[in-house]
Amino acid sequence: MFYPKIQPEFQENLNRLNLNAANEFQLNVFKKMRSGADVVAIAEAGTGKTTGIITTLIHQLKEAFEDAPRALIIVNNRAEVEFYLAQFAELGRHTDLRVKPAFEGKPWKDQMEEIYIGADVVVGTIGRIQEIYFKNGINLNKIKHLIIENAHNLTHQQVPQIERLLLTLEKCQRTFVGQHITERIERIADEHLKKVEWVE
């Protein structure tokens, strides 16, 4: 079994994708996120970080619920948004979870409307998420999981944006994912995360 006690239909879908067992890193991320702790997950490319994050979220969210999103994933660009969407579509084929994008390059009004209609997970860039939020186009009150992907690539300009988001979502679980530890990750973890669990 990929993870202990996951839904049989979820395991069946993972078997179809030849994902029969999680590696040690994925299991540790699963356990820490399931505990509710804030997490900093560090591993090299190709170690299954994205699969670990997505499968954990699918296991916890399970199915579509109401209209407001329960998970927010921040990535760097449109290509990463589209990669996440494709992975959710494959790994979550057995569910009706609604995963909506938010990135520059397409009209923000269209993306805002899609999110407003109903979303369980929103994957987007920090700039577009803030743009939609400031226009009252996304309800963040139900967010339970905030994921910052590729945190090692955070720019000087993005850090204050991320910090504002962390303050807005102070009560949800926050997970930082990166390929290596940086001074910015350490400082944000020290100043904004609570009872941080490190997975390397």
Side-chain angles (χ1 to χ4, degrees):
M1 181 169 284
F2 197 80
Y3 291 134
K5 300 180 180 180
I6 67 171
Q7 305 94 321
E9 62 272 19
F10 190 10
Q11 183 61 57
E12 183 178 341
N13 188 45
L14 293 174
N15 291 342
R16 181 185 63 82
L17 297 170
N18 294 318
L19 296 173
N20 302 311
N23 60 36
E24 183 178 358
F25 175 81
Q26 291 168 331
L27 282 172
N28 284 334
V29 169
F30 177 80
K31 292 176 183 177
K32 300 302 184 185
M33 289 183 65
R34 190 174 59 174
S35 75
D38 287 348
V39 178
V40 178
I42 303 295
E44 296 178 357
T47 51
K49 294 190 299 298
T50 302
T51 299
I53 294 296
I54 293 176
T55 49
T56 300
L57 285 177
I58 291 172
H59 172 77
Q60 293 184 310
L61 299 178
K62 293 184 174 59
E63 60 187 5
F65 181 74
E66 297 184 346
D67 296 328
R70 291 172 287 155
L72 178 60
I73 303 173
I74 302 298
V75 297
N76 291 323
N77 51 53
R78 175 176 180 171
E80 292 181 10
V81 172
E82 293 175 341
F83 176 74
Y84 253 92
L85 294 180
Q87 291 296 299
F88 264 105
E90 277 294 312
L91 296 168
R93 181 178 291 188
H94 64 289
T95 78
D96 61 351
L97 288 172
R98 300 154 299 175
V99 184
K100 301 296 178 65
F103 56 84
E104 293 83 358
K106 286 193 174 183
W108 63 266
K109 287 185 178 180
D110 294 344
Q111 295 175 349
M112 183 176 72
E113 183 176 348
E114 282 294 311
I115 294 169
Y116 182 80
I117 289 172
D120 300 289
V121 182
V122 175
V123 185
T125 61
I126 184 62
R128 178 50 60 92
I129 291 293
Q130 284 198 332
E131 183 178 12
I132 294 175
Y133 177 69
F134 290 148
K135 292 179 171 65
N136 296 317
I138 181 171
N139 180 359
L140 300 182
N141 293 330
K142 302 294 183 180
I143 295 292
K144 296 181 179 180
H145 305 278
L146 171 64
I147 314 294
I148 309 297
E149 180 63 275
N150 288 320
H152 60 282
N153 284 332
L154 284 176
T155 66
H156 178 73
Q157 180 182 7
Q158 290 172 326
V159 169
Q161 295 175 311
I162 293 294
E163 289 180 320
R164 283 195 294 271
L165 186 60
L166 289 170
L167 292 173
T168 301
L169 300 176
E170 188 175 7
K171 295 183 179 179
C172 80
Q173 181 186 51
R174 286 81 63 83
T175 300
F176 278 67
V177 186
Q179 294 183 20
H180 54 266
I181 299 173
T182 67
E183 290 184 4
R184 287 173 180 164
I185 291 176
E186 290 183 326
R187 184 181 66 77
I188 292 173
D190 288 341
E191 295 181 5
H192 295 282
L193 306 188
K194 302 173 182 178
K195 298 180 181 179
V196 186
E197 296 283 356
W198 292 76
V199 182
E200 299 183 56

